Structure formats: C-alpha cells, structure tokens
Amino acid sequence: MATNNPYATYQNNSVITSTPGELTLMLYNGCLKFIQQAKMELAKGNLEQKNIAIQKAQAIVTELMLTLDTSYDVSKNMLVLYEFVNSRLIDGNIQNDPAMFEEAAGIITEFRDTWKQVIQINRTKQYSNVSEI
C-alpha cells in the first residue's frame, strides 16, 4: 500500500528496520507521550481525549507485560512494576488525578532510561572490534 505522506513512510520504515531492543525503546517513548497527552487533556478539561490517551498508554504497558519472559526473576519484578504502572493509569483516569499519571510516568521513564543504556552498551560492544575487520 503506497502512501503520499513521507512522515508515515518514515515511521513505518523505522519500525520495520528496528531491532527488538529499539522497538522496546519506542514503546517506552510512546507510553510516555500518551501519558503526557493525557495530562494536557486533563488540564484542558477534555476528559474524553484524556481517556483515549490513557487507554493507549495502557495498551503499551499491556504489550510490555505480555512480551516479558517470566522465567527470569528480574522479569517477574518488572511484571510487578508494570502492573503497578497500569493500576496508576487506571486509578488516575478514574479519579482524574495527574499525580497518578506522573507516578506511572516516573517508573516508565526509569525503564526507558535503563533500556537506552543497555542498547548503547550493546552497540559499543558490537562495534568495538570494527577496526579489526
């Protein structure tokens, strides 16, 4: 399917060509974007758009939960934190409480920043021996 929107084409290509690690980073960034949108919509009193944005953030958190390999202890701990984030998003949505959104965003930001460091370390290791080629 051809598209006339170069930005949409770029977005599609960046998803298709990304590594699994980069895709996870995109999910974290998307989740944070939707939480920020929800906070802005709440501040404007637009509850319908706030709800839509939070549902998108929840869908991302659910995807992150489903893709965890819980055979590792660290994954089990991450699952508990994802469940907590999801509950903060739900409670914040019901109670219209931006502090709950901020709490969820803080945890997702920590995950995102850690994940970004892991990607950078892996790239450094992967390309550290390029001069030997």
Side-chain angles (χ1 to χ4, degrees):
M1 170 166 64
T3 179
N4 292 331
N5 183 344
Y7 181 70
T9 302
Y10 170 78
Q11 280 186 313
N12 187 47
N13 287 340
S14 50
V15 169
I16 290 171
T17 61
S18 294
T19 65
E22 291 167 337
L23 290 172
T24 301
L25 188 62
M26 287 179 195
L27 287 173
Y28 286 135
N29 285 330
C31 186
L32 291 170
K33 178 184 91 170
F34 291 126
I35 293 171
Q36 287 303 109
Q37 281 180 356
K39 286 171 36 184
M40 289 187 323
E41 295 298 340
L42 179 59
K44 291 190 282 187
N46 192 343
L47 300 182
E48 183 179 349
Q49 291 302 311
K50 176 232 20 162
N51 182 53
I52 291 169
I54 284 301
Q55 287 179 353
K56 289 178 180 181
Q58 285 177 263
I60 291 172
V61 172
T62 299
E63 181 65 24
L64 290 166
M65 290 167 65
L66 292 172
T67 59
L68 279 176
D69 179 356
T70 55
S71 63
Y72 301 100
D73 287 337
V74 69
S75 296
K76 292 175 187 171
N77 294 333
M78 288 175 70
L79 183 60
V80 171
L81 287 170
Y82 286 149
E83 288 170 344
F84 179 75
V85 165
N86 204 31
S87 73
R88 292 286 86 185
L89 294 175
I90 291 168
D91 293 343
N93 197 12
I94 292 168
Q95 298 173 22
N96 292 319
D97 186 348
M100 291 183 182
F101 296 156
E102 198 57 44
E103 192 174 2
I107 294 169
I108 295 297
T109 299
E110 287 290 324
F111 276 126
R112 191 255 337 255
D113 293 347
T114 302
W115 197 251
K116 191 184 294 186
Q117 288 177 343
V118 168
I119 290 172
Q120 290 170 343
I121 290 168
N122 282 338
R123 281 187 184 151
T124 301
K125 286 180 181 179
Q126 183 179 5
Y127 296 113
S128 65
N129 296 325
V130 171
S131 62
E132 296 174 5
I133 298 176

